[in-house]
Amino acid sequence: AILDADKAALDMVMLVRPPGGREAGKASEIWELAKQGARMPGEWTVSPQTVLDAALAKDWPLCAYLAAVVATDKEHGQGPDSLAQPDERYQDWFWYTVVSPIVVEVQAEDRPRRSAGSGFCAGGVYHEGVLVGNGAATKSQRSVTSCFKPGATLQLGGQRMRRLKLEEQDILEVRRLFQAGEPADKEAARSAKDQLAAMARKAGSMYISGGRFRVMAYPLAGDKTKALLRPEAAAWTSEQKRAVRTVGESAIGQVVKARKWDIVEMMLRSGVPCPDLSREFIGLAGEKQPKKNDEDTKDEPAVQQWRSDILHTVGRTLCYSIRRGDTPFHMLDGNRPYTVLECAAWFSEEGSDTFRRVLLAMASGGHNLDLLGGRNAKPLIVAAAERQRWDIVQTVLELSTHTLDTDGKPVAALLAVEVGVEELKESPALRLATTAVHELLKVKEDESPVRAKNLTDYFRRVTKSEIVTHDHAPADFSLSGDGVYLERGDGMRLLSACLRLGENASSGKSR
């Protein structure tokens, strides 16, 4: 047994730290050996944090080894979920580097005055509660509270507004105060206010030179003389934009952003949650507020503004990073980052099996397969067709028709997923499709239609004279025994038949 353990350790060394300049092993080889219990000799700190550190250092063999142990070792690992948890260290770094907040001193009084301004509030000059439009005195007046409302945009300038000269450790402590929210009781409120006051006495203050800022919190820690602001995204430096684009909040998020698809595949197959790249670092701007009598939540204005800045920056940066020859391809939505599947599609070489492997990994791992692009985007196959990535279109159509995993075993998850076939048929790009794509579309047409996505989809099929049965009713509905009604659990009943009238009746479109 000892000899076997030593041999396994030596095999792992040859894969992770090969001597003599040899090429390191593949992520799948390292992962499989780690699952069998092989461990690197010596002392290694195995944690999601060291996985992320290895990824940022671009030490991919070590990253794969540590991730495999964390995800698969039930005794010493922390489980696959831990690889998708935000890393507090990099949240602090992101807060200091990208959010780069400032604490400004605010006139506590709400009494309006007619004086020249020290900054702009909502498009006008603001000073001590007064709004002066276009640099000249007007009768429009606003209070301090309304001008420093979280989510508002201020353009600060002049010589009257000051900010605290905070060191890095103080800025991180401000994050703790900000994210703690409103104090629970008077004692906690007094403690937070005293802490902020002590910080202000120690730091001193300086004048603000100017710039556009977003309001994150006012009052800050219950102190009406302090407000927390951050620069808006338009003023971010190239370093800040690069950080948003390349630094991940979690281990798997970092590996996805680095486009190491072999490691991403193994993580997804091992049950690591698929990261939502549109929500990374969103928590830095505050928590979501629950709606009354509703499990859903709604972001506060400051959170919405922060998320908009991040997504806009990531989207616009990626717009020009995808090239086919010398032609840049624009994103479908320049105000959002890609999903993991979109990243695998657009950031992989044409004709490679990268996208196929990632899609199969997500399907076999039970992850959510959103191939329709969400509310504001096009289905993935339509986007691929418009970019003439027929390899992506063919892969999706093939796998949604007859799916076999890399080991030859069937994957049922993809067979029940809507992929946007109808939208593809209506796309002008389809006339440039390859013969293989047209043949696959014909196969899809011959198949029995899957359950309708919603009522619109259901009645669209009816207007096209498709045969609809109990299996094709929308998710929340079922057909009555005689097939005349669509019925829902809350008692709603709809006639299951429809007739389209008018000049465009033959188009088959229903609204």
Side-chain angles (χ1 to χ4, degrees), residues 165-182:
K165 296 189 296 183
L166 300 176
E167 300 293 335
E168 178 177 353
Q169 192 57 44
D170 295 327
I171 292 176
L172 297 181
E173 191 57 38
V174 167
R175 179 194 166 198
R176 312 286 184 259
L177 291 174
F178 165 63
Q179 294 195 314
E182 294 185 7

Side-chain angles (χ1 to χ4, degrees), residues 418 422-423 449-487 493-499 508-511:
E418 281 282 352
E422 295 300 325
E423 290 85 346
V450 296
R451 181 179 291 274
K453 293 176 290 186
N454 48 42
L455 288 172
T456 300
D457 185 32
Y458 177 84
F459 286 114
R460 176 184 56 76
R461 297 182 184 186
V462 173
T463 59
K464 288 189 174 183
S465 301
E466 292 185 15
I467 298 175
V468 291
T469 66
H470 294 271
D471 295 330
H472 305 123
D476 296 337
F477 290 86
S478 61
L479 276 174
S480 60
D482 54 10
V484 175
Y485 297 103
L486 283 170
E487 299 175 331
R493 300 179 74 196
L494 299 171
L495 284 174
S496 62
C498 70
L499 177 65
K509 294 182 179 180
S510 60
R511 301 184 186 278

Side-chain angles (χ1 to χ4, degrees), residues 247-284:
V247 177
E249 188 178 38
S250 63
I252 188 172
Q254 180 59 37
V255 176
V256 168
K257 287 188 174 183
R259 306 171 197 171
K260 299 304 293 184
W261 301 115
D262 52 346
I263 303 179
V264 172
E265 178 190 356
M266 301 314 299
M267 285 183 169
L268 293 174
R269 288 186 179 278
S270 297
V272 179
C274 186
D276 182 355
L277 301 181
S278 69
R279 300 294 304 179
E280 278 202 319
F281 297 107
I282 296 302
L284 294 182

Side-chain angles (χ1 to χ4, degrees), residues 290-297:
K291 294 179 181 178
K292 293 182 178 180
N293 303 321
D294 196 344
E295 294 180 357
D296 194 8
T297 54

Side-chain angles (χ1 to χ4, degrees), residues 158-218:
Q159 301 296 320
R160 293 176 179 260
M161 186 161 284
R162 304 178 71 91
R163 54 173 290 188
L164 301 186
K165 296 189 296 183
L166 300 176
E167 300 293 335
E168 178 177 353
Q169 192 57 44
D170 295 327
I171 292 176
L172 297 181
E173 191 57 38
V174 167
R175 179 194 166 198
R176 312 286 184 259
L177 291 174
F178 165 63
Q179 294 195 314
E182 294 185 7
D185 49 49
K186 291 183 178 180
E187 183 177 350
R190 189 182 308 110
S191 175
K193 194 171 182 179
D194 291 345
Q195 186 178 356
L196 186 60
M199 197 182 301
R201 287 193 298 270
K202 173 187 172 184
S205 63
M206 59 186 292
Y207 289 115
I208 298 175
S209 58
R212 291 177 65 85
F213 292 84
R214 310 282 198 194
V215 180
M216 297 186 73
Y218 177 77

